[in-house]
Amino acid sequence: MATGDDKSEEKLWGGRFTGATDPIMEKFNASIGFDKRMWKEDITGSLAYIKAIERLGLVTAAECLSISDGLRAIYKEWESNSFVIKPFDEDIHTANERRLKELIGDAAGKLHTGRSRNDQVTVDMRLWLREAIKNIRSYLISFIQVSLSRAKRDIDVLMPGYTHLQQAQPIRWSHWVLCHATSLLRDLQRLDQTANRADELTLGSGALAGNAFGVDRQMLAKELRFSRVSSNSLDATMDRDFVIDFLYWASVTMLHLSRWAEDLIIYSSKEFGFATLADAYSTGSSLMPQKKNADSLELIRGKAGSVCGRLTGFMMSYKGLPSTYNKDLQEDKIAMFETYDSMSELLQIATGVLSTLTVHKSRCQGALTSDMLATDLAYYLVRKGIPFREAHSLSGLCVAAAEAKSVKLCDLPLVDLQAISQDFGPDVMLVWNYENSVEQYTSVGGTAKSAVLHQIDAMEKVLKE
């Protein structure tokens, strides 16, 4: 066994080196500060691996039992927060193996037979990410479900729809809610695709050339619940596409959440007043007592930059690496862990914001103006048989006439409308109804009540599937 004075022997790679490592280099090289999060996955992978090499006769049944019992004891130490990290535990693999040797003696050294930290770390990361995605997925589904619930509850609220942040046409508030839920449903599908691409066993690839003892990788895959086995050992030890996939998923999802947050920041301002955030998701000003700030939404919007930055940052670390493992890949775990922490936190915050939001129906509908029905005026003429391009032009002339008289479009006298087109009749007054306006958009994806309910039903079916 290693002695306390022989530091080189405490390292998995210490035999070739004779000089002491610079203490600053020790700290710079170590990853135990963050990869200790994978303690459970590291032990799980080792428990499967010791079974596999026992089948090959590389350890005896007694040694396999001793190693397995030792690993389970270490598991309990981590679980109870009693595991002690020592100065020369440079990563989670070293720490667990060092502790195993303390518990059972030299037999611990057989656990690493045919295995490298290069394939060990990739299987740990894939195991960790698999569980992380399950958690993230549940948070994302909760947000979508709350969106559907709010869409049902507020379905009779009408509001202005916007393009270029200019009032455009009347829509339902629920239609706006479902707009963002639809993009998040794509994010859910993209997350499932990410999980599928990460579902590959890399253990058994060794440092780069494979396993020299013929370990049964299919058995390992079954034991660790991976659906398939990596096909090339060189690729397996260098592949971090699954991390990039996760970071990309998070970045796209954050773009969607940031836009959702931006809309709500605007809609909850005094100028708009369409909605009010619950106090639980707002903060005040240290100077102005009247202020109620949408800090929860601003933080979500701000996190988009950080999450996207981790993707681009890691891609730049990854882009020029020579084949197989390089220590640059230590950056992968930092990006993966930090992104998971951000996404799991802010998805829960976003769900809380939406579920407790107060929608002000009168303010939403009070913001509607008759000039938003200019397109409906054109549609009125289209239904009279006038080509749309001509109808569009005639409606524009009506808008100009109303502006010239400083009256609302709906208050333009019939005689003035007929001066522009004889196709305007008394029934044109039916155009000036916001409910009628939204109800004409009955096609799939429209803002009519039936179309919105169809969207909700379709999304609920997707979630159930």
Side-chain angles (χ1 to χ4, degrees):
M1 293 179 66
T3 65
D5 295 330
D6 191 352
K7 296 177 180 178
S8 68
E9 288 185 14
E10 295 186 46
K11 300 185 190 319
L12 295 181
W13 45 268
R16 181 250 183 268
F17 291 80
T18 57
T21 307
D22 184 327
I24 298 176
M25 178 58 189
E26 291 274 8
K27 183 177 180 181
F28 187 58
N29 183 59
S31 60
I32 187 67
F34 50 87
D35 67 17
K36 63 184 179 183
R37 290 181 68 159
M38 301 190 299
W39 65 265
K40 184 185 299 183
E41 290 73 25
D42 194 67
I43 293 171
T44 299
S46 292
L47 283 168
Y49 192 73
I50 195 62
K51 288 182 183 178
I53 63 174
E54 185 209 2
R55 286 188 174 190
L56 298 171
L58 296 172
V59 295
T60 66
E63 288 171 330
C64 180
L65 180 60
S66 176
I67 291 170
S68 297
D69 287 345
L71 288 170
R72 293 188 184 97
I74 296 169
Y75 188 105
K76 290 179 180 178
E77 289 181 3
W78 280 109
E79 201 170 37
S80 63
N81 291 319
S82 62
F83 187 96
V84 178
I85 296 173
K86 294 191 175 180
F88 294 98
D89 292 339
E90 64 184 67
D91 54 40
I92 186 60
H93 325 298
T94 307
N96 282 338
E97 188 168 333
R98 182 266 307 160
R99 181 57 179 149
L100 183 64
K101 189 173 184 179
E102 290 174 353
L103 291 175
I104 70 169
D106 289 340
K110 292 192 174 185
L111 173 60
H112 210 59
T113 303
R115 185 173 68 166
S116 167
R117 286 184 295 176
N118 294 0
D119 64 345
Q120 193 175 354
V121 69
T122 63
V123 76
D124 286 3
M125 290 177 67
R126 289 169 185 270
L127 288 169
W128 187 90
L129 186 59
R130 183 169 67 191
E131 293 306 307
I133 286 176
K134 287 180 183 178
N135 294 334
I136 288 283
R137 192 177 192 277
S138 68
Y139 300 144
L140 185 54
I141 287 174
S142 292
F143 184 83
I144 296 171
Q145 288 174 331
V146 167
S147 298
L148 298 180
S149 176
R150 290 308 306 255
K152 289 178 183 177
R153 188 198 311 180
D154 302 316
I155 197 166
D156 293 323
V157 178
L158 305 185
M159 65 175 284
Y162 295 84
T163 66
H164 307 277
L165 202 56
Q166 302 294 318
Q167 290 188 348
Q169 292 177 278
I171 61 170
R172 293 188 183 276
W173 171 271
S174 299
H175 198 46
W176 170 82
V177 173
L178 294 175
C179 158
H180 292 284
T182 300
S183 64
L184 290 169
L185 190 61
R186 290 196 299 273
D187 295 326
L188 179 61
Q189 294 164 342
R190 194 176 290 110
L191 183 62
D192 287 343
Q193 293 164 358
T194 298
N196 179 62
R197 284 194 286 272
D199 186 20
E200 182 171 287
L201 177 83
T202 49
L203 187 60
S205 298
L208 76 162
N211 188 282
F213 301 100
V215 70
D216 187 347
R217 300 188 68 214
Q218 296 294 343
M219 170 262 178
L220 284 171
K222 184 176 181 180
E223 190 77 17
L224 295 172
R225 294 184 291 111
F226 284 102
S227 65
R228 62 187 180 276
V229 173
S230 59
S231 61
N232 183 285
S233 61
L234 297 176
D235 175 69
T237 56
M238 71 182 289
D239 174 31
R240 295 298 185 275
D241 290 2
F242 67 99
V243 176
I244 292 174
D245 285 341
F246 178 64
L247 301 181
Y248 174 74
W249 165 82
S251 296
V252 174
T253 302
M254 278 309 305
L255 296 180
H256 295 149
L257 288 173
S258 180
R259 296 182 69 181
W260 169 83
E262 171 69 3
D263 277 355
L264 276 182
I265 289 168
I266 293 170
Y267 294 163
S268 63
S269 67
K270 290 286 187 180
E271 288 77 8
F272 279 72
F274 294 172
T276 300
L277 270 66
D279 288 351
Y281 299 100
S282 307
T283 63
S285 166
S286 62
L287 179 65
M288 299 165 284
Q290 84 282 5
K291 292 292 294 300
K292 183 175 181 179
N293 300 324
D295 280 10
S296 55
L297 297 172
E298 291 173 12
L299 287 167
I300 290 172
R301 187 176 59 185
K303 289 284 186 184
S306 301
V307 171
C308 292
R310 293 188 192 103
L311 169 64
T312 55
F314 179 63
M315 287 180 72
M316 291 307 98
S317 296
Y318 191 62
K319 73 173 182 64
L321 299 184
S323 296
T324 72
Y325 185 80
N326 298 270
K327 201 57 176 276
D328 313 53
L329 292 177
Q330 194 157 285
E331 295 296 311
D332 56 6
K333 290 168 284 298
I334 298 173
M336 183 176 72
F337 294 150
E338 289 183 348
T339 296
Y340 168 77
D341 290 342
S342 293
M343 296 305 296
S344 60
E345 183 177 62
L346 64 87
L347 279 169
Q348 293 178 79
I349 293 295
T351 302
V353 167
L354 187 58
S355 64
T356 58
L357 192 74
T358 300
V359 180
H360 303 297
K361 182 177 182 179
S362 60
R363 286 294 296 266
C364 290
Q365 299 187 177
L368 296 169
T369 59
S370 60
D371 60 341
M372 297 174 65
L373 300 174
T375 301
D376 298 67
L377 197 61
Y379 287 165
Y380 169 89
L381 294 173
V382 167
R383 292 184 176 104
K384 297 283 186 176
I386 296 176
F388 176 74
R389 285 301 175 198
E390 182 182 346
H392 182 280
S393 179
L394 292 171
S395 178
L397 292 174
C398 294
V399 172
E403 289 178 349
K405 286 195 166 189
S406 299
V407 298
K408 297 177 181 178
L409 183 60
C410 62
D411 292 334
L412 197 65
L414 179 59
V415 63
D416 290 352
L417 292 172
Q418 290 178 331
I420 294 170
S421 174
Q422 287 297 313
D423 288 288
F424 285 118
D427 60 343
V428 73
M429 302 308 296
L430 297 175
V431 170
W432 314 123
N433 183 293
Y434 301 117
E435 188 73 30
N436 290 345
S437 177
V438 298
E439 279 305 293
Q440 68 185 313
Y441 298 103
T442 56
S443 297
V444 173
T447 195
K449 191 170 186 176
S450 60
V452 170
L453 290 171
H454 181 270
Q455 289 178 62
I456 295 171
D457 182 59
M459 292 179 74
E460 286 178 338
K461 287 180 179 177
V462 171
L463 290 180
K464 287 178 183 178
E465 291 171 359

